[in-house]
Amino acid sequence: PDARLHVSSASAVAADTILQISSGVAAGQELLVVKGDGKVGIGTTAPDSTLHVKDAATGARTGSTSSMTMTA
């Protein structure tokens, strides 16, 4: 791969955490998670759509790929 960072797991299943970025080691400090099925969670360790963004203050789901508009 031409990327500076390439994360791969040939035998990953949906529940596997492939990549996790956190601000510490305690529960609740996870910032970004990529699961084995390609789902990405921001503010959640259990994304239920391709992109799942959760508000840390309220716990409310603030967006998913079905309701979020992305612009470049």
Side-chain angles (χ1 to χ4, degrees):
D2 294 328
R4 299 277 179 171
L5 173 65
H6 177 88
V7 179
S8 178
S9 180
S11 60
V13 295
D16 290 346
T17 298
I18 303 302
L19 174 67
Q20 179 170 319
I21 299 172
S22 64
S23 60
V25 295
Q29 293 182 315
E30 300 85 359
L31 303 174
L32 180 126
V33 171
V34 178
K35 300 304 265 184
D37 58 1
K39 292 179 180 171
V40 176
I42 299 173
T44 179
T45 58
D48 59 12
S49 58
T50 305
L51 175 61
H52 182 159
V53 181
K54 184 175 174 185
D55 185 326
T58 65
R61 183 180 182 155
T62 57
S64 69
T65 53
S66 60
S67 64
M68 187 183 303
T69 303
M70 304 281 234
T71 57

